[in-house]
Amino acid sequence: MAKVHVPRGNGGGIASVSPAASSAEPHDLDSAIEMSKSLLDLGPDWDDAGAKPIDASTWKRATGFLRRTMAKATRSAGPSVPVPRISPCSDGSIDLFWKRPGFQLLINIQPSGTVASDFYGETPNGFELKGTFDPDTHDLNVILGQLLVN
């Protein structure tokens, strides 16, 4: 598996998608989070290219962030907010990736105590959003909401 997230300093863009933790696509948040627990079973070098394992604190950080973001987005946009794919990255971070006909959004959650996490979103009509944030103190429900309506 390849590391997949927005490279820092290159202007962003979503190049490819890492495989999901499972081949089945969950349709509800609880199932997606439950399936993502398998990321914790990935050992060192899980990609045969030197990947770091996913730490339990990173997984808790990503899933806590996702629950907060989805709860607020669902309250504002309704129950049709799609569930993202939750995938490992070779640097020990976790990607949350939404790909729908009307938008793509990639959020990379870094391990606690490291650099800021980042996001990149785009729509087919050229609307783009990107930036960095602290997933422990912020959610991105506004960003997700903007992409849902654009």
Side-chain angles (χ1 to χ4, degrees):
M1 288 190 241
K3 175 179 176 178
V4 177
H5 71 257
V6 178
R8 298 184 197 289
N10 79 345
I14 299 173
S16 61
V17 180
S18 58
S22 169
S23 60
E25 289 277 340
H27 296 288
D28 67 274
L29 183 60
D30 290 333
S31 296
I33 289 174
E34 184 63 31
M35 288 172 58
S36 75
K37 282 184 182 176
S38 66
L39 300 180
L40 299 173
D41 298 332
L42 297 172
D45 197 34
W46 53 264
D47 65 350
D48 295 326
K52 295 178 182 177
I54 303 298
D55 187 74
S57 65
T58 303
W59 180 82
K60 288 177 185 174
R61 187 180 202 206
T63 57
F65 165 82
L66 180 58
R67 283 189 189 280
R68 287 189 310 276
T69 298
M70 291 291 287
K72 288 183 179 179
T74 300
R75 279 195 297 271
S76 27
S80 63
V81 177
V83 176
R85 179 174 292 195
I86 304 170
S87 303
C89 295
S90 62
D91 64 355
S93 64
I94 295 176
D95 276 347
L96 307 174
F97 183 63
W98 288 261
K99 183 173 183 175
R100 297 292 182 259
F103 75 95
Q104 292 187 92
L105 175 61
L106 178 63
I107 299 173
N108 177 254
I109 306 294
Q110 291 288 318
S112 297
T114 61
V115 297
S117 295
D118 53 16
F119 67 91
Y120 178 83
E122 63 186 13
T123 64
N125 65 0
F127 181 73
E128 290 185 9
L129 293 166
K130 60 183 172 181
T132 60
F133 69 102
D134 180 348
D136 295 325
T137 59
H138 295 88
D139 60 62
L140 295 181
N141 71 311
V142 172
I143 301 297
L144 184 55
Q146 284 297 311
L147 291 169
L148 285 167
V149 299
N150 273 299

PDB file of all heavy atoms in Angstrom, residues 119-141:
ATOM      1  N   PHE A 119      -6.024  18.953   5.439  1.00  0.00           N
ATOM      2  CA  PHE A 119      -7.162  18.548   4.621  1.00  0.00           C
ATOM      3  C   PHE A 119      -7.058  19.182   3.251  1.00  0.00           C
ATOM      4  O   PHE A 119      -6.410  20.216   3.070  1.00  0.00           O
ATOM      5  CB  PHE A 119      -8.492  18.921   5.282  1.00  0.00           C
ATOM      6  CG  PHE A 119      -8.739  20.402   5.386  1.00  0.00           C
ATOM      7  CD1 PHE A 119      -9.415  21.079   4.373  1.00  0.00           C
ATOM      8  CD2 PHE A 119      -8.291  21.122   6.477  1.00  0.00           C
ATOM      9  CE1 PHE A 119      -9.633  22.448   4.458  1.00  0.00           C
ATOM     10  CE2 PHE A 119      -8.510  22.492   6.576  1.00  0.00           C
ATOM     11  CZ  PHE A 119      -9.184  23.147   5.563  1.00  0.00           C
ATOM     12  N   TYR A 120      -7.703  18.520   2.288  1.00  0.00           N
ATOM     13  CA  TYR A 120      -7.818  19.057   0.934  1.00  0.00           C
ATOM     14  C   TYR A 120      -9.152  18.578   0.384  1.00  0.00           C
ATOM     15  O   TYR A 120      -9.455  17.385   0.417  1.00  0.00           O
ATOM     16  CB  TYR A 120      -6.677  18.564   0.035  1.00  0.00           C
ATOM     17  CG  TYR A 120      -6.821  19.072  -1.390  1.00  0.00           C
ATOM     18  CD1 TYR A 120      -6.381  20.344  -1.730  1.00  0.00           C
ATOM     19  CD2 TYR A 120      -7.439  18.298  -2.361  1.00  0.00           C
ATOM     20  CE1 TYR A 120      -6.550  20.833  -3.021  1.00  0.00           C
ATOM     21  CE2 TYR A 120      -7.602  18.782  -3.656  1.00  0.00           C
ATOM     22  CZ  TYR A 120      -7.158  20.043  -3.971  1.00  0.00           C
ATOM     23  OH  TYR A 120      -7.336  20.529  -5.247  1.00  0.00           O
ATOM     24  N   GLY A 121      -9.948  19.492  -0.117  1.00  0.00           N
ATOM     25  CA  GLY A 121     -11.226  19.145  -0.715  1.00  0.00           C
ATOM     26  C   GLY A 121     -11.410  19.853  -2.031  1.00  0.00           C
ATOM     27  O   GLY A 121     -10.880  20.951  -2.242  1.00  0.00           O
ATOM     28  N   GLU A 122     -12.162  19.214  -2.930  1.00  0.00           N
ATOM     29  CA  GLU A 122     -12.430  19.821  -4.231  1.00  0.00           C
ATOM     30  C   GLU A 122     -13.751  19.317  -4.781  1.00  0.00           C
ATOM     31  O   GLU A 122     -14.224  18.249  -4.413  1.00  0.00           O
ATOM     32  CB  GLU A 122     -11.295  19.521  -5.208  1.00  0.00           C
ATOM     33  CG  GLU A 122     -11.129  18.039  -5.516  1.00  0.00           C
ATOM     34  CD  GLU A 122      -9.896  17.736  -6.372  1.00  0.00           C
ATOM     35  OE1 GLU A 122      -9.036  18.612  -6.528  1.00  0.00           O
ATOM     36  OE2 GLU A 122      -9.813  16.607  -6.861  1.00  0.00           O
ATOM     37  N   THR A 123     -14.326  20.130  -5.657  1.00  0.00           N
ATOM     38  CA  THR A 123     -15.541  19.749  -6.372  1.00  0.00           C
ATOM     39  C   THR A 123     -15.247  19.781  -7.868  1.00  0.00           C
ATOM     40  O   THR A 123     -14.282  20.422  -8.293  1.00  0.00           O
ATOM     41  CB  THR A 123     -16.703  20.718  -6.059  1.00  0.00           C
ATOM     42  OG1 THR A 123     -16.359  22.020  -6.544  1.00  0.00           O
ATOM     43  CG2 THR A 123     -17.017  20.773  -4.578  1.00  0.00           C
ATOM     44  N   PRO A 124     -16.090  19.113  -8.681  1.00  0.00           N
ATOM     45  CA  PRO A 124     -15.861  19.121 -10.126  1.00  0.00           C
ATOM     46  C   PRO A 124     -15.895  20.516 -10.750  1.00  0.00           C
ATOM     47  O   PRO A 124     -15.269  20.751 -11.773  1.00  0.00           O
ATOM     48  CB  PRO A 124     -16.994  18.255 -10.681  1.00  0.00           C
ATOM     49  CG  PRO A 124     -17.401  17.387  -9.552  1.00  0.00           C
ATOM     50  CD  PRO A 124     -17.185  18.207  -8.310  1.00  0.00           C
ATOM     51  N   ASN A 125     -16.597  21.457 -10.116  1.00  0.00           N
ATOM     52  CA  ASN A 125     -16.676  22.809 -10.682  1.00  0.00           C
ATOM     53  C   ASN A 125     -15.511  23.707 -10.269  1.00  0.00           C
ATOM     54  O   ASN A 125     -15.532  24.905 -10.516  1.00  0.00           O
ATOM     55  CB  ASN A 125     -18.020  23.460 -10.332  1.00  0.00           C
ATOM     56  CG  ASN A 125     -18.187  23.692  -8.847  1.00  0.00           C
ATOM     57  OD1 ASN A 125     -17.311  23.383  -8.050  1.00  0.00           O
ATOM     58  ND2 ASN A 125     -19.330  24.233  -8.465  1.00  0.00           N
ATOM     59  N   GLY A 126     -14.474  23.128  -9.641  1.00  0.00           N
ATOM     60  CA  GLY A 126     -13.271  23.883  -9.338  1.00  0.00           C
ATOM     61  C   GLY A 126     -13.188  24.493  -7.951  1.00  0.00           C
ATOM     62  O   GLY A 126     -12.201  25.143  -7.623  1.00  0.00           O
ATOM     63  N   PHE A 127     -14.177  24.286  -7.116  1.00  0.00           N
ATOM     64  CA  PHE A 127     -14.139  24.789  -5.745  1.00  0.00           C
ATOM     65  C   PHE A 127     -13.128  23.957  -4.952  1.00  0.00           C
ATOM     66  O   PHE A 127     -13.192  22.737  -4.953  1.00  0.00           O
ATOM     67  CB  PHE A 127     -15.537  24.681  -5.123  1.00  0.00           C
ATOM     68  CG  PHE A 127     -15.634  25.196  -3.722  1.00  0.00           C
ATOM     69  CD1 PHE A 127     -15.608  26.555  -3.468  1.00  0.00           C
ATOM     70  CD2 PHE A 127     -15.780  24.314  -2.660  1.00  0.00           C
ATOM     71  CE1 PHE A 127     -15.715  27.030  -2.173  1.00  0.00           C
ATOM     72  CE2 PHE A 127     -15.893  24.784  -1.365  1.00  0.00           C
ATOM     73  CZ  PHE A 127     -15.862  26.146  -1.110  1.00  0.00           C
ATOM     74  N   GLU A 128     -12.148  24.618  -4.290  1.00  0.00           N
ATOM     75  CA  GLU A 128     -11.114  23.927  -3.524  1.00  0.00           C
ATOM     76  C   GLU A 128     -11.003  24.513  -2.127  1.00  0.00           C
ATOM     77  O   GLU A 128     -11.137  25.716  -1.934  1.00  0.00           O
ATOM     78  CB  GLU A 128      -9.745  24.066  -4.191  1.00  0.00           C
ATOM     79  CG  GLU A 128      -9.585  23.310  -5.462  1.00  0.00           C
ATOM     80  CD  GLU A 128      -8.152  23.392  -6.007  1.00  0.00           C
ATOM     81  OE1 GLU A 128      -7.253  23.899  -5.310  1.00  0.00           O
ATOM     82  OE2 GLU A 128      -7.962  22.947  -7.142  1.00  0.00           O
ATOM     83  N   LEU A 129     -10.722  23.638  -1.182  1.00  0.00           N
ATOM     84  CA  LEU A 129     -10.439  24.032   0.192  1.00  0.00           C
ATOM     85  C   LEU A 129      -9.239  23.233   0.665  1.00  0.00           C
ATOM     86  O   LEU A 129      -9.151  22.031   0.404  1.00  0.00           O
ATOM     87  CB  LEU A 129     -11.626  23.697   1.107  1.00  0.00           C
ATOM     88  CG  LEU A 129     -12.914  24.461   0.891  1.00  0.00           C
ATOM     89  CD1 LEU A 129     -14.058  23.782   1.635  1.00  0.00           C
ATOM     90  CD2 LEU A 129     -12.754  25.883   1.389  1.00  0.00           C
ATOM     91  N   LYS A 130      -8.307  23.875   1.358  1.00  0.00           N
ATOM     92  CA  LYS A 130      -7.182  23.146   1.920  1.00  0.00           C
ATOM     93  C   LYS A 130      -6.656  23.916   3.112  1.00  0.00           C
ATOM     94  O   LYS A 130      -6.857  25.123   3.240  1.00  0.00           O
ATOM     95  CB  LYS A 130      -6.084  22.919   0.899  1.00  0.00           C
ATOM     96  CG  LYS A 130      -5.477  24.176   0.313  1.00  0.00           C
ATOM     97  CD  LYS A 130      -4.455  23.820  -0.744  1.00  0.00           C
ATOM     98  CE  LYS A 130      -4.002  25.080  -1.473  1.00  0.00           C
ATOM     99  NZ  LYS A 130      -3.030  24.777  -2.516  1.00  0.00           N
ATOM    100  N   GLY A 131      -6.000  23.186   4.006  1.00  0.00           N
ATOM    101  CA  GLY A 131      -5.425  23.836   5.168  1.00  0.00           C
ATOM    102  C   GLY A 131      -4.962  22.833   6.197  1.00  0.00           C
ATOM    103  O   GLY A 131      -4.965  21.624   5.963  1.00  0.00           O
ATOM    104  N   THR A 132      -4.566  23.355   7.336  1.00  0.00           N
ATOM    105  CA  THR A 132      -4.131  22.533   8.454  1.00  0.00           C
ATOM    106  C   THR A 132      -5.005  22.856   9.663  1.00  0.00           C
ATOM    107  O   THR A 132      -5.626  23.924   9.726  1.00  0.00           O
ATOM    108  CB  THR A 132      -2.650  22.785   8.803  1.00  0.00           C
ATOM    109  OG1 THR A 132      -2.486  24.148   9.150  1.00  0.00           O
ATOM    110  CG2 THR A 132      -1.749  22.430   7.632  1.00  0.00           C
ATOM    111  N   PHE A 133      -5.018  21.947  10.632  1.00  0.00           N
ATOM    112  CA  PHE A 133      -5.851  22.117  11.818  1.00  0.00           C
ATOM    113  C   PHE A 133      -5.386  21.151  12.898  1.00  0.00           C
ATOM    114  O   PHE A 133      -4.609  20.234  12.638  1.00  0.00           O
ATOM    115  CB  PHE A 133      -7.331  21.877  11.478  1.00  0.00           C
ATOM    116  CG  PHE A 133      -7.631  20.434  11.157  1.00  0.00           C
ATOM    117  CD1 PHE A 133      -8.235  19.614  12.100  1.00  0.00           C
ATOM    118  CD2 PHE A 133      -7.283  19.888   9.938  1.00  0.00           C
ATOM    119  CE1 PHE A 133      -8.479  18.280  11.816  1.00  0.00           C
ATOM    120  CE2 PHE A 133      -7.541  18.559   9.640  1.00  0.00           C
ATOM    121  CZ  PHE A 133      -8.132  17.758  10.586  1.00  0.00           C
ATOM    122  N   ASP A 134      -5.883  21.348  14.113  1.00  0.00           N
ATOM    123  CA  ASP A 134      -5.618  20.443  15.228  1.00  0.00           C
ATOM    124  C   ASP A 134      -6.883  19.624  15.456  1.00  0.00           C
ATOM    125  O   ASP A 134      -7.902  20.170  15.893  1.00  0.00           O
ATOM    126  CB  ASP A 134      -5.258  21.240  16.477  1.00  0.00           C
ATOM    127  CG  ASP A 134      -4.971  20.358  17.681  1.00  0.00           C
ATOM    128  OD1 ASP A 134      -5.251  19.145  17.638  1.00  0.00           O
ATOM    129  OD2 ASP A 134      -4.450  20.890  18.684  1.00  0.00           O
ATOM    130  N   PRO A 135      -6.852  18.315  15.161  1.00  0.00           N
ATOM    131  CA  PRO A 135      -8.068  17.504  15.293  1.00  0.00           C
ATOM    132  C   PRO A 135      -8.531  17.311  16.734  1.00  0.00           C
ATOM    133  O   PRO A 135      -9.649  16.855  16.959  1.00  0.00           O
ATOM    134  CB  PRO A 135      -7.685  16.175  14.649  1.00  0.00           C
ATOM    135  CG  PRO A 135      -6.215  16.132  14.694  1.00  0.00           C
ATOM    136  CD  PRO A 135      -5.741  17.555  14.636  1.00  0.00           C
ATOM    137  N   ASP A 136      -7.692  17.662  17.711  1.00  0.00           N
ATOM    138  CA  ASP A 136      -8.111  17.539  19.106  1.00  0.00           C
ATOM    139  C   ASP A 136      -8.997  18.702  19.534  1.00  0.00           C
ATOM    140  O   ASP A 136      -9.761  18.586  20.484  1.00  0.00           O
ATOM    141  CB  ASP A 136      -6.891  17.460  20.025  1.00  0.00           C
ATOM    142  CG  ASP A 136      -6.078  16.199  19.775  1.00  0.00           C
ATOM    143  OD1 ASP A 136      -6.675  15.152  19.459  1.00  0.00           O
ATOM    144  OD2 ASP A 136      -4.840  16.275  19.871  1.00  0.00           O
ATOM    145  N   THR A 137      -8.896  19.829  18.830  1.00  0.00           N
ATOM    146  CA  THR A 137      -9.653  21.015  19.233  1.00  0.00           C
ATOM    147  C   THR A 137     -10.603  21.534  18.155  1.00  0.00           C
ATOM    148  O   THR A 137     -11.370  22.450  18.417  1.00  0.00           O
ATOM    149  CB  THR A 137      -8.696  22.160  19.636  1.00  0.00           C
ATOM    150  OG1 THR A 137      -7.855  22.470  18.522  1.00  0.00           O
ATOM    151  CG2 THR A 137      -7.847  21.768  20.824  1.00  0.00           C
ATOM    152  N   HIS A 138     -10.555  20.968  16.958  1.00  0.00           N
ATOM    153  CA  HIS A 138     -11.408  21.432  15.856  1.00  0.00           C
ATOM    154  C   HIS A 138     -12.060  20.254  15.152  1.00  0.00           C
ATOM    155  O   HIS A 138     -11.530  19.155  15.149  1.00  0.00           O
ATOM    156  CB  HIS A 138     -10.582  22.213  14.822  1.00  0.00           C
ATOM    157  CG  HIS A 138     -10.014  23.477  15.354  1.00  0.00           C
ATOM    158  ND1 HIS A 138      -8.804  23.538  15.993  1.00  0.00           N
ATOM    159  CD2 HIS A 138     -10.505  24.733  15.352  1.00  0.00           C
ATOM    160  CE1 HIS A 138      -8.572  24.778  16.368  1.00  0.00           C
ATOM    161  NE2 HIS A 138      -9.577  25.527  15.991  1.00  0.00           N
ATOM    162  N   ASP A 139     -13.191  20.511  14.560  1.00  0.00           N
ATOM    163  CA  ASP A 139     -13.779  19.555  13.635  1.00  0.00           C
ATOM    164  C   ASP A 139     -13.906  20.284  12.301  1.00  0.00           C
ATOM    165  O   ASP A 139     -13.682  21.477  12.227  1.00  0.00           O
ATOM    166  CB  ASP A 139     -15.125  19.024  14.132  1.00  0.00           C
ATOM    167  CG  ASP A 139     -16.148  20.129  14.318  1.00  0.00           C
ATOM    168  OD1 ASP A 139     -16.491  20.787  13.305  1.00  0.00           O
ATOM    169  OD2 ASP A 139     -16.602  20.348  15.445  1.00  0.00           O
ATOM    170  N   LEU A 140     -14.226  19.556  11.271  1.00  0.00           N
ATOM    171  CA  LEU A 140     -14.325  20.176   9.941  1.00  0.00           C
ATOM    172  C   LEU A 140     -15.729  20.051   9.367  1.00  0.00           C
ATOM    173  O   LEU A 140     -15.908  19.943   8.165  1.00  0.00           O
ATOM    174  CB  LEU A 140     -13.292  19.549   8.997  1.00  0.00           C
ATOM    175  CG  LEU A 140     -11.838  19.808   9.364  1.00  0.00           C
ATOM    176  CD1 LEU A 140     -10.907  19.148   8.343  1.00  0.00           C
ATOM    177  CD2 LEU A 140     -11.537  21.281   9.455  1.00  0.00           C
ATOM    178  N   ASN A 141     -16.736  20.101  10.240  1.00  0.00           N
ATOM    179  CA  ASN A 141     -18.096  19.975   9.737  1.00  0.00           C
ATOM    180  C   ASN A 141     -18.459  21.106   8.783  1.00  0.00           C
ATOM    181  O   ASN A 141     -19.209  20.905   7.837  1.00  0.00           O
ATOM    182  CB  ASN A 141     -19.110  19.876  10.881  1.00  0.00           C
ATOM    183  CG  ASN A 141     -19.274  21.178  11.630  1.00  0.00           C
ATOM    184  OD1 ASN A 141     -18.295  21.812  12.018  1.00  0.00           O
ATOM    185  ND2 ASN A 141     -20.499  21.588  11.844  1.00  0.00           N
TER     186      ASN A 141
END
